[in-house]
Amino acid sequence: KTSLGIQATNGVVIATEKKVPSILVDEDSFQKIVNLTDHIGMIYSGMGPDFRVLVRKGRKKAQAYFRKYKEPIPVLQLTRQIAGIMQEFTQSGGVRPFGVSVLVAGCDEDGPQLYQVDPSGSYFGWRASAIGKNYRNAKTFLEKRYNADMELEDAVHTSLLTLREGFEGEMTAKNIEVGVVDKEMKFRVLKASEIADYLEEAE
């Protein structure tokens, strides 16, 4: 499924499709956007179980840093740690590479940041990026809509419009997820009611 991220002047937004395989599945029972720390969130496209392993390892690295230095881990440093874990799995015997690409969104003393990490372990900073199914179309759409002066509210609207471009069926607050981190360095996943409001405004 398509996932994307947009870096704004005062924060970062990440958004994704959250389609369940059957109407019988409780969509509240799983999340595609998670907190790694209070100021960093992560989203994936690919294999959910592989993502959970990365989340667990990433949280451990962040806590180890905090215990040692008594301050939150910088976004770039945690991204580098996650990329290192993914790269290790490409060259070790008896294991396979991770079947996920991830977007890491955070805000620290260097301001809002968005990084993409691929299964190879390569990572880059992006102003806006998309991963997963239809990522090429999503990136093309983002290239047309993105501007460097975009604020967080506009970035949320743009992320929803981009998702809608390649969305199969009706897009509702229940089948997408949106996470934001602002200048206060707080990452949070938006509630369904907040997403519904944004969807109304974006129509």
Side-chain angles (χ1 to χ4, degrees):
K1 302 290 183 281
T2 308
S3 300
L4 59 94
I6 302 173
Q7 180 185 315
T9 55
N10 57 337
V12 185
V13 57
I14 49 179
T16 184
E17 293 181 28
K18 181 186 169 182
K19 287 191 176 172
V20 291
S22 163
I23 57 167
L24 302 175
V25 175
D26 177 9
E27 64 269 327
D28 296 327
S29 64
F30 75 100
Q31 276 189 308
K32 287 190 72 179
I33 300 178
V34 298
N35 282 63
L36 292 176
T37 68
D38 286 343
H39 68 300
I40 302 173
M42 189 162 73
I43 193 173
Y44 78 98
S45 281
M47 299 170 72
D50 286 17
F51 178 66
R52 287 201 302 271
V53 172
L54 275 180
V55 169
R56 193 175 70 244
K57 287 176 180 283
R59 284 173 174 167
K60 275 186 180 174
K61 296 281 187 190
Q63 280 304 310
Y65 184 96
F66 184 77
R67 285 178 65 188
K68 188 170 184 181
Y69 298 107
K70 301 294 182 284
E71 64 181 35
I73 189 168
V75 183
L76 176 57
Q77 195 149 338
L78 185 54
T79 303
R80 200 178 286 138
Q81 298 268 18
I82 291 166
I85 293 163
M86 292 173 86
Q87 195 280 328
E88 239 174 70
F89 274 66
T90 66
Q91 62 174 29
S92 305
V95 296
R96 61 165 174 76
F98 282 91
V100 287
S101 286
V102 299
L103 292 174
V104 181
C107 193
D108 57 27
E109 289 173 2
D110 293 326
Q113 294 157 69
L114 173 69
Y115 294 96
Q116 178 179 325
V117 190
D118 294 323
S120 64
S122 60
Y123 66 94
F124 298 96
W126 290 80
R127 292 190 179 91
S129 184
I131 55 176
K133 194 176 122 188
N134 292 330
Y135 78 94
R136 280 196 181 91
N137 294 343
K139 274 190 178 174
T140 303
F141 188 82
L142 285 169
E143 281 167 9
K144 291 175 186 166
R145 299 294 296 242
Y146 180 82
N147 73 71
D149 301 323
M150 190 180 277
E151 293 201 343
L152 196 53
E153 289 285 303
D154 297 330
V156 173
H157 288 136
T158 302
S159 69
L160 295 178
L161 290 170
T162 309
L163 277 183
R164 187 176 273 158
E165 276 293 288
F167 206 86
E168 293 167 15
E170 188 190 358
M171 195 166 93
T172 69
K174 293 218 166 173
N175 57 21
I176 59 171
E177 262 185 68
V178 182
V180 294
V181 59
D182 55 25
K183 278 281 180 79
E184 305 295 312
M185 300 187 193
K186 289 287 176 200
F187 181 88
R188 69 188 187 91
V189 179
L190 297 188
K191 296 173 186 163
S193 57
E194 292 175 281
I195 295 173
D197 290 342
Y198 278 116
L199 282 171
E200 270 184 42
E201 289 169 24
E203 280 176 1

